[in-house]
Amino acid sequence: MKVITALKSIFIATFVALIGLGSSASFAQEESILVEIQKRGVLKVGLSTFVPWAMRDKDGNLIGFEVDVATQLAEDMGVEIEFVPTQWSGIIPALIAKKFDVIIGGMSITPQRNLTVNFTRPYANSGQQMLAHVDLATDTMTLEDFNSPNVVIACRRGATPCTTSIELFPQAEIRRFDDDAQAFQEVVNGNATAAMSSIPTPAFWVERHSDKLFLPLNGELVTKGNEAMALRKGDPDALNFFSNWILLREADGWLQERHDYWFKSEAGWKDMVSIEQ
């Protein structure tokens, strides 16, 4: 009995000590970005121009699906919105350096990125698609046929399609550009065989340049993806809030309505944009 009592006392003492350590850790934990956003009165969002997620209109203003999402999110939080346009290749380092609060920029969830940032639940589901030059490729080419030293694949530097291109086409030449427009223009000019990007941009470019471009592989997706907001590690409150916001805006149909507007057709917004992006 004395042994049991002694063991019980040790257990209780250890449990209390662990609670104390947990409390100390919680007090030492950095304040959630949610508190800072509310104090500041502004939600700072990092993004990169990427049709139709985010792009410039004729007046230079940002428009697109991500812009709508971030603007509505800020409104629901009762704060102003501030966009911080950032080169895609440096957008995660900029988030970690606290240049902004969250990335809302068509970022696909990948294991590699998830080691560095935390992702919310997905708010969009897209995939990667190829476009190709009519004189440099044929509609009978398979995915394996593009894996050749005679093939040049263009893609946006630091984006998932570039990673996919490297993995699928190790024998091909991969040319990296700062944005999709540059990569696609390389194909239009006949300097690259094909380009890889997220839907629906390849189809939009094929529609504009039907004399030079087509969708190989019968237009089928090469991969499927899930896009989510990216946050700095160590902030469970922010992760919970943004994920639940997405859940609620999915439930009321708002996210689907905005996604359909920007992704199903260019008809509603193409006249707002003066140059190809």
Side-chain angles (χ1 to χ4, degrees):
M1 181 64 71
K2 289 182 179 180
V3 172
I4 294 174
T5 302
L7 289 174
K8 186 181 294 185
S9 298
I10 292 171
F11 174 79
I12 293 172
T14 304
F15 181 70
V16 170
L18 288 173
I19 291 177
L21 287 173
S23 299
S24 298
S26 64
F27 281 122
Q29 184 178 339
E30 190 173 334
E31 191 174 61
S32 173
I33 191 62
L34 294 176
V35 177
E36 185 176 335
I37 292 168
Q38 291 173 312
K39 288 179 180 177
R40 187 198 306 143
V42 176
L43 171 66
K44 295 182 180 181
V45 173
L47 49 68
S48 182
T49 51
F50 181 24
V51 178
W53 305 83
M55 48 197 168
R56 298 283 182 181
D57 66 12
K58 293 178 180 179
D59 297 321
N61 300 311
L62 284 166
I63 61 171
F65 177 61
E66 306 285 16
V67 179
D68 286 356
V69 169
T71 301
Q72 187 62 54
L73 173 58
E75 182 178 327
D76 290 344
M77 293 180 74
V79 298
E80 298 296 317
I81 184 70
E82 178 184 331
F83 293 105
V84 184
T86 307
Q87 284 286 353
W88 189 254
S89 57
I91 200 165
I92 287 181
L95 172 68
I96 294 171
K98 300 185 178 181
K99 301 295 184 182
F100 39 79
D101 307 317
V102 58
I103 296 172
I104 305 179
M107 180 169 282
S108 299
I109 300 171
T110 68
Q112 293 76 20
R113 288 172 178 160
N114 211 170
L115 290 171
T116 308
V117 299
N118 281 344
F119 285 107
T120 62
R121 65 181 287 123
Y123 61 89
N125 306 96
S126 65
Q128 298 171 50
Q129 190 177 45
M130 293 180 70
L131 58 74
H133 194 283
V134 294
D135 294 332
L136 301 177
T138 68
D139 57 7
T140 59
M141 289 178 70
T142 66
L143 205 59
E144 291 75 20
D145 292 330
F146 284 95
N147 185 29
S148 165
N150 300 319
V151 169
V152 177
I153 305 292
C155 57
R156 184 173 59 147
R157 183 179 290 106
T160 304
C162 255
T163 303
T164 301
S165 297
I166 293 168
E167 293 174 351
L168 292 178
F169 315 117
Q171 296 185 48
E173 178 186 345
I174 308 298
R175 291 185 188 167
R176 300 165 179 82
F177 297 86
D178 288 334
D179 57 51
D180 277 340
Q182 292 175 331
F184 292 163
Q185 193 61 51
E186 190 79 347
V187 184
V188 172
N189 294 342
N191 296 325
T193 314
M196 180 96 73
S197 182
S198 296
I199 59 171
T201 315
F204 290 165
W205 273 71
V206 168
E207 185 177 345
R208 299 172 198 164
H209 303 279
S210 57
D211 59 326
K212 295 182 178 180
L213 303 178
F214 75 101
L215 296 176
L217 313 174
N218 296 317
E220 293 182 7
L221 297 182
V222 178
T223 66
K224 294 182 180 180
N226 298 290
E227 289 72 36
M229 300 177 188
L231 295 157
R232 288 185 289 276
K233 294 282 189 180
D235 194 343
D237 289 341
L239 188 64
N240 175 265
F241 176 83
F242 288 124
S243 288
N244 283 334
W245 181 85
I246 293 167
L247 179 67
L248 292 171
R249 283 304 184 176
E250 281 178 342
D252 68 9
W254 183 87
L255 273 173
Q256 187 64 55
E257 185 274 325
R258 288 288 82 198
H259 190 275
D260 289 348
Y261 175 80
W262 292 105
F263 282 78
K264 282 195 171 182
S265 169
E266 293 180 289
W269 51 265
K270 68 177 180 179
D271 291 338
M272 302 180 196
V273 183
S274 58
I275 58 173
E276 290 186 313
Q277 300 182 56

